Amino acid sequence: MQFIDEFRNPTQVKSLLSQIHAWVKKTSFTAEKPLQIMEVCGGHTHAIFKFGLERLLPPEIEFIHGPGCPVCVLPMGRIDACIEIAKRPEVIFCTFGDAIRVPGRQGSLLKARQEGAAVRLIYSPMDALTIAEQNPDKKIVLFGLGFETTMPSVAITLQQAKQRNITNFFVFCQHITIIPTLKSLLMTPDIQIDAFLGPGHLSMVIGTHPYSFICEQYHKPVVVSGFEPTDILQSIVMVLKQFANKQCLVENQYRRVVPDEGNPRALAVINDVFIMQGDDEWRGLGIIPDSGVRLNETYAAFDAEKHFQPKQQRVADDPQSRCGDVLTGRCKPLECHLFGKQCTPESAYGALMVSSEGACAAYYQYRQGEPA
Amino acid sequence: MCIGVPCKITAIDPNQPTKATAEVNGIQRDVNISLVSSGNEQSLVGQWVLVHVGFAMSLLDEEEAEQTLTALNAMQEEEPDVNILFKP
Ligand code: SF4
């Protein structure tokens, strides 16, 4: 079994589209007042554009590209703090490829590398630990970022560092948690979201139960979805059926990967290493209460910020950029005045243009030249 | 950056039971299996897992995958609306 290819079958895609057309007629959505589905995860955003799903859908359905791309919500000040640490002569700074081009006020980590800082790309957090063992005279800093998907891997790496008594390894913790973000989105008064496509791979860690407040308190359906075209289309059918049948549930389209209870072992390692504490700043969205993640007391010695004490910086987002409005569905990327001018993938202004999972980069790659 | 890749576990490292070799598209890579193993690592050989940043995060359920596909394949017959829409 190949596990991927079969989910791209054109006949199935066609058939699902027909179902979508049929079901949307059974709801009250119109082209003027469409169903606005937020896909929370940047992986979905990328797939939607890559496969052109947006254009295949009837006008009664519109995607809102959500904040679930950890790179897209990285605040400038945090990148500046990473660069400050990376530029220290004794440091080797390890980052996932996604984050290296995100601009801070002082440029990106890539620029810091061009200027001589030891910035290395890694595939797995474990790679950073290996680098630490191979370079005992250096201090190795891992840029720990991402949602609950990435947190368990960084947590296990830290457990290993502790077990093996590795003292030249540190983590710059920029992890974020999804539920507070969704809560803060839902509490924003002028936000237009009718339903959610839940993140597939994040949910394999946390499961589907944590989303139930969205149905219970906000009366919006959630369907956890896979990333293949048929997965996304089938999830839309599931959402439409809920509206047509006047239901509001958390459903799991991606059962082949996501158990409803998540991965208890992954949740346990997260709890062993991290503490969810305090507010955190998100690029484009501002301060989100209770979304902060730090290393707990047991792992304090590995905390790069405690060790290197970089300047705490808070850089306001440029008022001309509309990253926050794009993230919350208030406008489309093409409506931002900087789009394609000051802000392109080569010289990104906002982070939504940097990652291929960001809505602006996806628009730039696949839909440029269309009228706003 | 939350995308994972389905891989098939082909071997367990005899010296480090949390380390396995997994294969995807003919490429072998090291995968940490501590989040999906329940003690008997050898039983994971041949199993599909979803790998994210070098860690197997979830066991893939072939039965569920097949059920989804069967449901998708059966759709045209089950949904008369769909067939009507397909007619020119
Ligand atoms: S075009 Fe650039 S500045 Fe404007 S919203 Fe997108 S990422 Fe932000």
Side-chain angles (χ1 to χ4, degrees):
Chain A
M1 157 151 226
Q2 265 309 309
F3 250 108
I4 296 189
D5 300 349
E6 294 159 81
F7 288 95
R8 294 191 180 171
N9 182 330
T11 322
Q12 284 164 1
V13 167
K14 237 171 130 183
S15 172
L16 280 165
L17 282 167
S18 316
Q19 279 209 59
I20 289 175
H21 279 268
W23 276 103
V24 83
K25 301 244 157 16
K26 298 180 188 164
T27 69
S28 58
F29 297 106
T30 59
E32 293 70 41
K33 223 200 147 302
L35 163 67
Q36 300 202 295
I37 302 186
M38 173 174 272
E39 87 277 9
V40 177
C41 170
H44 284 149
T45 307
H46 187 79
I48 287 165
F49 282 95
K50 183 172 165 201
F51 299 111
L53 301 182
E54 260 204 331
R55 299 190 216 201
L56 298 174
L57 292 178
E60 294 92 342
I61 301 175
E62 201 180 295
F63 282 115
I64 308 287
H65 314 295
C69 155
V71 178
C72 301
V73 291
L74 260 173
M76 290 225 190
R78 300 293 285 164
I79 293 284
D80 290 341
C82 287
I83 291 173
E84 187 188 322
I85 295 174
K87 283 194 167 166
R88 298 174 75 108
E90 75 277 25
V91 165
I92 299 176
F93 194 91
C94 299
T95 173
F96 299 111
D98 309 58
I100 196 164
R101 286 164 55 231
V102 179
R105 200 176 36 180
Q106 320 290 347
S108 62
L109 282 162
L110 183 63
K111 180 162 168 269
R113 181 162 82 174
Q114 285 156 354
E115 290 164 1
V119 176
R120 286 211 206 159
L121 286 186
I122 45 154
Y123 163 67
S124 166
M126 281 292 189
D127 299 342
L129 202 57
T130 310
I131 296 173
E133 285 180 308
Q134 289 164 348
N135 296 275
D137 54 329
K138 292 278 187 189
K139 291 178 177 173
I140 311 317
V141 181
L142 167 66
F143 192 5
L145 81 163
F147 285 106
E148 281 90 340
T149 329
T150 319
M151 285 167 72
S153 319
V154 173
I156 291 183
T157 307
L158 276 161
Q159 287 177 333
Q160 289 283 321
K162 197 166 191 306
Q163 252 173 42
R164 295 193 224 159
N165 238 330
I166 300 175
T167 53
N168 64 331
F169 176 76
F170 304 90
V171 169
F172 186 98
C173 183
Q174 183 60 27
H175 286 292
I176 40 182
T177 53
I178 190 70
I179 297 298
T181 317
L182 293 176
K183 276 199 178 131
S184 110
L185 267 178
L186 285 161
M187 279 172 355
T188 312
D190 61 334
I191 248 154
Q192 314 274 330
I193 307 166
D194 301 304
F196 289 89
L197 284 196
H201 292 156
L202 193 158
S203 304
M204 72 190 168
V205 173
I206 67 168
T208 59
H209 304 308
Y211 304 114
S212 46
F213 78 96
I214 301 177
C215 305
E216 284 156 17
Q217 290 170 36
Y218 297 94
H219 313 291
K220 298 179 197 292
V222 180
V223 176
V224 171
S225 173
F227 296 88
E228 294 300 325
T230 51
D231 287 327
I232 295 175
L233 295 176
Q234 196 188 21
S235 302
I236 294 174
V237 174
M238 291 164 82
V239 168
L240 289 171
K241 281 187 180 171
Q242 287 201 33
F243 278 103
N245 298 332
K246 306 222 169 348
Q247 285 174 309
C248 185
L249 311 165
V250 180
E251 288 186 285
N252 185 355
Q253 183 277 336
Y254 203 29
R255 285 194 181 280
R256 64 185 188 277
V257 173
V258 174
D260 284 326
E261 63 284 3
N263 182 332
R265 224 164 299 154
L267 291 170
V269 294
I270 290 178
N271 282 331
D272 181 53
V273 171
F274 297 106
I275 173 164
M276 317 295 161
Q277 191 185 58
D279 307 341
D280 219 346
E281 186 196 359
W282 289 50
R283 193 169 186 142
L285 295 177
I287 303 287
I288 297 192
D290 303 322
S291 68
V293 178
R294 328 255 175 262
L295 299 186
N296 67 22
E297 271 312 303
T298 322
Y299 287 88
F302 296 94
D303 190 331
E305 283 174 271
K306 289 211 169 93
H307 187 83
F308 296 103
Q309 310 257 332
K311 284 194 272 319
Q312 290 301 329
Q313 320 207 21
R314 200 152 265 170
V315 184
D317 290 321
D318 187 292
Q320 283 192 77
S321 73
R322 300 199 60 190
C323 310
D325 289 342
V326 171
L327 277 176
T328 48
R330 291 191 193 94
C331 82
K332 295 278 174 218
L334 298 171
E335 290 166 60
C336 172
H337 291 305
L338 305 181
F339 182 90
K341 299 183 192 106
Q342 287 97 322
C343 190
T344 66
E346 288 72 43
S347 64
Y349 209 83
L352 295 175
M353 193 55 103
V354 177
S355 160
S356 64
E357 294 180 2
C360 294
Y363 259 77
Y364 192 87
Q365 192 179 351
Y366 297 106
R367 301 197 52 178
Q368 221 201 349
E370 285 180 23
Chain B
M1 66 171 293
C2 287
I3 286 295
V5 185
C7 299
K8 194 176 197 164
I9 295 184
T10 52
I12 309 289
D13 187 330
N15 304 318
Q16 278 185 70
T18 56
K19 214 170 126 194
T21 309
E23 192 186 283
V24 62
N25 295 333
I27 299 163
Q28 308 270 338
R29 53 166 61 154
D30 286 347
V31 166
N32 183 302
I33 49 167
S34 43
L35 293 172
V36 293
S37 134
S38 49
N40 180 7
E41 287 84 13
Q42 280 307 326
S43 69
L44 288 174
V45 174
Q47 167 77 48
W48 282 87
V49 289
L50 201 97
V51 176
H52 172 69
V53 298
F55 286 72
M57 305 295 300
S58 178
L59 300 175
L60 300 193
D61 191 326
E62 286 196 40
E63 216 171 288
E64 286 284 359
E66 261 151 28
Q67 273 173 20
T68 313
L69 286 169
T70 316
L72 288 171
N73 284 329
M75 221 161 43
Q76 266 173 278
E77 294 134 51
E78 278 173 14
E79 294 275 340
D81 289 5
V82 175
N83 273 333
I84 291 164
L85 280 161
F86 266 123
K87 292 210 176 99

